[in-house]
Amino acid sequence: MRKPARRSPLPQSLESAQVPERSDQKLAINQTQLVGHLLERGALRYTPAGIAVLEFVIGHVSQQIEADTTRTVECEMACIAAGTPAKLLSKGKQGDSVLVSGFLAARSLKRRTPVLHVTTIEFVEGIENGI
Amino acid sequence: MKLVRVALDVPLPRLFDYLAPDANPCDIGLRTSVPFGSGNKVGIVLNVTESTDQPVAKLKEVHALLRDMPALPSSFLAMCEFCAKYYQAPIGEVMAFALPPMLRRGKLPKARKTTPDLTRQNVVATPAKVDGGRKTSGQSVPTVGLPPLLVAQAAAVDAILNSRGFCAFLLHGVTGSGKTEVYLRAIASVLERGGQALMLVPEIALTPQLQARVAARFPYAHIVSAHSGVPDAARARGFLDGLEGYADIVLGTRLSIFMPLPRLQLIVVDEEHDASFKQQEGLRYSARDLAIWRAHQLDIPVVLGSATPALESFFHAHSGRYNLLELPQRAVAEHLPQVRTVDTRREKLQDGLSQALIDALTLRLERGEQSLIFLNRRGYAPVLSCPPCGWVSRCHRCAANLVVHLADKRLRCHHCGFEAMIPRNCPSCGNVDLQPFGRGTQRLENILAERFPKARISRIDRDSASTPKKWQALLDAIHAGDVDILVGTQMLAKGHDFPKLTLVGAIGADAALFAADFRAPERLFAQLMQVGGRSGRADLPGQVLIQTDYPDHALYQALEDGDYGRFARVLLAERQIAGFPPYSFQALLRAEARTVEDSLAFLAIARKAALTIADPRVTIYDPVPMKMQRLMTLERAQLLVESTNRPALQAFLSKWMETIYSQRKVGGLRWHLDVDPLEI
């Protein structure tokens, strides 16, 4: 069995980890938006410095166009939020529909699968129902 | 021309000559204030002579011979001289160390200053006079109401009391076997004969219990406690009380071994295996070894007591140099606690706790008994790390990690004392989700609180018991039964009896099993045995659970059987093969400089010099970086010398030191010699 080729590890020193210059802003694009419902939600925890952190999973179902055809898409996205969005979402319940946006980052140095770091959050159903 | 030869607190291994027209031979041992360089210093007169090898014209006159304090006795001076010679330290530094700070500065505590008639009065030389002024000498101490002695205890007391002259005893008794009672009986008999007793304990600040017990037993005796926590004036007062013969019992840490006691008839070293008897900085002396020397000098008995004697003492006791007194039975509880290992190799631990330990804790909670979880790691977690980028909280001054202290939101280096706020995000990549890794007592406290929400949990470590007052408050709460589960470091291991404590769980003990230091297993055994001995000390049977990945290790097997002797013999056999102490004697030259190259280069030159003067019986190893190479921004290296012959090593060391003192040093380089080092 062939293992997937490992990408070079992240640079560790501060200098090489610098974000590219403003003129190359396109090279720094990392934006994800997703609507879905809350599948799982961990308990609100705090970092040693006292910042709230919440880990959760969004289940997404929608119609998308691919190769000129409409198709159904389903996926689950592991998410993490820190600070205000974490506190906001900690009040949500399972099944709530939310629109999240943020950036993708590897889970850890060893586990390179992405996690969506949610920076803004919107409860979609709540608005629709006029609550 | 009258001259005095003075020991001054300067890092030079020599004495200094001064003119002193009114000096006479009785002045040996007096403090004197002298001009030195552009300032003044206080030293001790070690000799009064007529001649000097210094140019007479250059000699200065002493400011004063301080006759307001009795001269230090010759036995005191002899011990300092021995100490200086054996540990290769300048005599002036040794003497300065042996005196309490206030006396060292040439002052006296207040009460004494107002007493007019003490000048030139040689109180020490006339014991009869001293006795006349005392209330307690010859007074018998009531023995009614005391617990009856077990056979082994009685035999031990008899052996000590019937000894004549110098005699070293090793009192090897399991925890709770009543070693303290043996000491107290021996001390009682010494007091009855009008003698003084000196009792050394590892950390007196942590053992107010013992102090209270001694005070309660000898209500009429003048007890002096001597340790670095005593305020300056009180310490000087205590020293003078000892010197003038007013003190009956001196209870103190290692530094009290220097206390001059003219009627000293017994020295006791409790928990003699404890590492704190060896000073780890400045004058690196071993109070236990000096106790043996002092007893020999004064021709009196010395008692070393321990449940897990140091291998050196164990070796001497079994080879016949010391008299072995064994207390195989517990005096207080019926049985020794049952010690069992919990195999953690297969089990998935729940926050570091095994099911067996959780069940045992639950049972104690149901029965209303106390439990203790022993984890020898302070703080919340030993390191803070950033999983996405791999950053860890390293100390920028030491080769060590900064420890997470969540209670006060700080990162601390346990080696150099560096402190910082816990960073909001990773200094390397900016991630906020920083993770504390591993487990310290603070985290264990939280884990237990979550798992046992109804239990009253108390953490005892150097952070929670930072002052004697806080420590006492914690102890009081434990004794009052206001605590169900104790989480603690080794601080709890020493000398405390908790009658309601029936379970001790040890976690994370394996770390010490494979430490590079050859004394680590010995220390681990002592520590676990001691902490295990806290359980079941009254009428309730005790249980000790040790979580380990190596349940078949000889150390744990011997612990389960409570057989220190067996384990000690295994270790001794290993040491014999490796040629380690007690089968050899060691000295370690350590150097620290800004770069490790400088340190190593200094040691390389020292090694070259050593090879030219070395006795073939002395082995000189190569300079190597120390295990913990970087400390307080200094890069450290060491050079070990070893011999199976102690006099040969000593002779070599004194010759070697001369060459090292004259050796040129790189700027910022510091070095010291550690004779009989605890760690190499």
Side-chain angles (χ1 to χ4, degrees):
Chain A
M1 202 175 75
R2 230 165 60 105
K3 280 191 172 176
R6 268 199 72 134
R7 263 153 295 170
S8 62
L10 267 185
Q12 278 186 40
S13 69
L14 256 181
E15 295 95 289
S16 50
Q18 262 170 9
V19 177
E21 303 272 311
R22 276 194 86 80
S23 58
D24 291 332
Q25 259 189 352
K26 272 194 176 166
L27 293 179
I29 289 177
N30 178 351
Q31 272 191 337
T32 305
Q33 267 198 321
L34 201 61
V35 168
H37 50 275
L38 209 51
L39 280 185
E40 295 167 26
R41 204 198 66 199
L44 192 68
R45 62 179 170 85
Y46 289 87
T47 70
I51 299 166
V53 175
L54 189 73
E55 290 177 62
F56 54 97
V57 180
I58 296 282
H60 167 85
V61 185
S62 67
Q63 303 285 315
Q64 300 290 336
I65 296 166
E66 189 172 37
D68 305 326
T69 324
T70 304
R71 56 157 295 188
T72 304
V73 184
E74 278 187 53
C75 71
E76 288 176 17
M77 189 72 215
C79 301
I80 188 166
T84 318
K87 283 186 183 162
L88 200 61
L89 198 75
S90 70
K91 300 200 167 63
K93 1 177 248 301
Q94 227 174 36
D96 281 356
S97 277
V98 286
L99 164 60
V100 296
S101 59
F103 57 87
L104 295 173
R107 200 174 277 276
S108 76
L109 206 53
K110 281 189 187 133
R111 296 165 66 195
R112 308 306 289 170
T113 50
V115 179
L116 177 57
H117 287 246
V118 172
T119 49
T120 62
I121 194 156
E122 223 177 286
F123 284 87
V124 182
E125 254 167 4
I127 299 163
E128 281 175 353
N129 295 341
I131 298 170
Chain B
M1 183 179 62
K2 277 269 161 71
L3 291 166
V4 286
R5 208 150 272 171
V6 181
L8 290 176
D9 184 13
V10 288
L12 293 170
R14 51 167 287 206
L15 300 176
F16 296 85
D17 292 353
Y18 285 92
L19 294 165
D22 64 337
N24 67 61
C26 295
D27 292 337
I28 293 176
L30 278 186
R31 296 175 306 155
T32 174
S33 155
V34 298
F36 187 82
S38 58
N40 293 318
K41 271 192 181 298
V42 174
I44 293 164
V45 178
L46 286 192
N47 210 348
V48 177
T49 64
E50 305 270 327
S51 64
T52 175
D53 48 3
Q54 304 289 316
V56 179
K58 278 188 137 185
L59 289 180
K60 293 180 191 164
E61 195 172 315
V62 299
H63 290 315
L65 292 169
L66 303 175
R67 294 195 162 113
D68 51 356
M69 182 179 119
L72 295 159
S74 61
S75 60
F76 174 86
L77 302 180
M79 184 154 89
C80 288
E81 274 165 33
F82 168 77
C83 191
K85 226 174 90 194
Y86 186 81
Y87 293 105
Q88 308 294 334
I91 176 76
E93 283 189 356
V94 175
M95 294 212 157
F97 177 81
L99 284 180
M102 185 179 250
L103 301 180
R104 187 187 311 163
R105 290 194 299 268
K107 293 181 185 153
L108 283 182
K110 273 222 175 72
R112 179 64 52 191
K113 262 186 187 158
T114 55
T115 312
D117 61 346
L118 264 164
T119 45
R120 298 303 309 271
Q121 182 184 9
N122 204 340
V123 183
V124 182
T126 51
K129 201 169 182 179
V130 175
D131 276 342
R134 289 167 30 79
K135 311 189 294 278
T136 56
S137 75
Q139 198 157 36
S140 70
V141 181
T143 47
V144 284
L146 293 180
L149 292 179
L150 296 176
V151 178
Q153 276 179 309
V157 174
D158 281 347
I160 297 165
L161 296 186
N162 292 331
S163 66
R164 290 279 165 273
F166 168 71
C167 200
F169 295 96
L170 176 64
L171 184 63
H172 180 189
V174 293
T175 44
S177 60
K179 289 187 290 291
T180 312
E181 189 56 37
V182 173
Y183 309 146
L184 292 180
R185 300 273 174 132
I187 291 172
S189 146
V190 163
L191 295 188
E192 266 175 49
R193 295 194 304 251
Q196 291 170 306
L198 171 61
M199 184 162 174
L200 302 184
V201 291
E203 285 169 62
I204 202 159
L206 302 183
T207 51
Q209 278 185 342
L210 177 69
Q211 225 171 326
R213 189 163 165 193
V214 173
R217 175 65 75 84
F218 306 109
Y220 300 110
H222 181 30
I223 300 168
V224 168
S225 51
H227 54 89
S228 51
V230 176
D232 260 13
R235 226 175 108 187
R237 175 83 269 141
F239 188 88
L240 291 176
D241 282 350
L243 175 64
E244 292 165 359
Y246 293 114
D248 297 310
I249 303 170
V250 176
L251 208 57
T253 51
R254 58 174 180 252
L255 57 84
S256 57
I257 189 62
F258 289 102
M259 176 92 78
L261 297 163
R263 295 174 289 112
L264 185 62
Q265 288 187 13
L266 175 71
I267 306 177
V268 173
V269 184
D270 191 23
E271 309 287 4
E272 62 90 29
H273 64 277
D274 199 276
S276 72
F277 285 121
K278 171 94 171 135
Q279 176 141 303
Q280 306 281 4
E281 72 212 355
L283 177 62
R284 289 161 196 266
Y285 68 102
S286 158
R288 180 193 64 211
D289 298 350
L290 282 181
I292 303 279
W293 188 88
R294 190 168 180 190
H296 187 258
Q297 174 205 29
L298 299 176
D299 208 25
I300 58 170
V302 54
V303 182
L304 310 179
S306 174
T308 50
L311 280 192
E312 283 81 355
S313 309
F314 187 86
F315 175 68
H316 289 320
H318 285 268
S319 67
R321 258 184 84 181
Y322 297 172
N323 290 327
L324 180 64
L325 306 171
E326 282 181 309
L327 303 179
Q329 266 184 319
R330 273 196 152 190
V332 192
E334 295 278 303
H335 299 286
L336 280 168
Q338 177 212 355
V339 181
R340 196 159 69 77
T341 53
V342 178
D343 188 346
T344 50
R345 280 172 301 186
R346 296 286 148 75
E347 195 178 336
K348 192 170 181 314
L349 297 179
Q350 307 164 45
D351 293 318
L353 303 173
S354 62
Q355 194 56 49
L357 187 53
I358 292 172
D359 292 346
L361 279 169
T362 313
L363 183 68
R364 294 313 183 288
L365 286 172
E366 281 167 9
R367 293 207 300 228
E369 294 165 8
Q370 287 175 329
S371 319
L372 159 66
I373 307 291
F374 172 68
L375 171 62
N376 209 7
R377 182 175 278 159
R378 220 150 48 83
Y380 184 81
V383 68
L384 184 67
S385 83
C386 174
C389 81
W391 174 83
V392 290
S393 56
R394 296 201 66 83
C395 176
H396 67 289
R397 298 197 290 201
C398 308
N401 290 330
L402 297 173
V403 177
V404 183
H405 284 250
L406 205 56
D408 40 6
K409 294 220 179 294
R410 305 201 55 91
L411 294 177
R412 280 203 188 101
C413 177
H414 285 187
H415 297 274
C416 73
F418 174 79
E419 269 192 44
M421 293 270 291
I422 291 180
R424 197 176 170 279
N425 43 17
C426 172
S428 171
C429 77
N431 168 40
V432 294
D433 195 10
L434 297 172
Q435 306 269 353
F437 266 83
R439 224 168 284 122
T441 44
Q442 288 181 14
R443 191 171 206 168
L444 189 59
E445 186 188 10
N446 292 0
I447 290 168
L448 288 167
E450 261 171 46
R451 199 165 279 278
F452 303 104
K454 284 191 186 145
R456 294 161 299 174
I457 299 166
S458 196
R459 170 170 56 89
I460 294 177
D461 53 28
R462 210 145 31 100
D463 303 311
S464 69
S466 49
T467 62
K469 214 173 171 183
K470 282 190 195 166
W471 172 234
Q472 193 55 46
L474 282 167
L475 283 180
D476 290 346
I478 300 168
H479 281 289
D482 294 339
V483 179
D484 298 317
I485 302 176
L486 293 155
V487 178
T489 58
Q490 58 177 355
M491 228 181 137
L492 265 182
K494 282 172 197 162
H496 296 286
D497 295 349
F498 304 125
K500 281 178 77 185
L501 187 76
T502 58
L503 170 71
V504 172
I507 63 180
D510 286 342
L513 211 52
F514 301 105
D517 180 29
F518 71 87
R519 283 194 175 88
E522 178 189 344
R523 272 203 298 269
L524 177 63
F525 192 103
Q527 204 170 59
L528 289 176
M529 184 113 162
Q530 226 169 21
V531 77
R534 299 309 112 205
S535 76
R537 295 193 57 123
D539 48 349
L540 299 166
Q543 188 186 19
V544 181
L545 295 178
I546 301 168
Q547 289 190 182
T548 172
D549 281 348
Y550 308 92
D552 300 327
H553 194 284
L555 188 150
Y556 293 126
Q557 297 276 316
L559 257 178
E560 282 188 328
D561 299 343
D563 192 348
Y564 179 70
R566 191 177 80 206
F567 184 60
R569 278 185 284 274
V570 171
L571 284 183
L572 275 177
E574 285 175 13
R575 298 254 184 113
Q576 187 163 23
I577 294 166
F580 279 145
Y583 295 96
S584 67
F585 302 94
Q586 299 176 322
L588 198 60
L589 181 65
R590 297 195 189 93
E592 46 189 36
R594 277 189 288 272
T595 68
V596 75
E597 289 75 22
D598 284 350
S599 303
L600 286 171
F602 173 83
L603 294 180
I605 298 170
R607 179 171 189 272
K608 233 184 225 168
L611 288 174
T612 61
I613 51 172
D615 186 305
R617 289 171 295 179
V618 179
T619 312
I620 296 147
Y621 291 90
D622 283 320
V624 287
M626 278 176 68
K627 233 183 319 173
M628 196 175 141
Q629 188 184 324
R630 192 174 152 85
L631 182 73
M632 284 291 273
T633 71
L634 290 173
E635 301 283 341
R636 312 185 302 162
Q638 64 183 32
L639 170 58
L640 177 69
V641 294
E642 197 179 81
S643 177
T644 52
N645 184 309
R646 202 193 304 232
L649 181 68
Q650 277 293 316
F652 160 75
L653 287 179
S654 55
K655 265 194 268 172
W656 192 32
M657 288 307 277
E658 281 172 35
T659 70
I660 298 174
Y661 270 114
S662 59
Q663 186 175 325
R664 250 192 73 225
K665 289 192 297 174
V666 202
L669 184 133
R670 285 191 305 195
W671 62 270
H672 67 257
L673 185 77
D674 192 351
V675 181
D676 303 331
L678 273 191
E679 276 183 56
I680 56 165

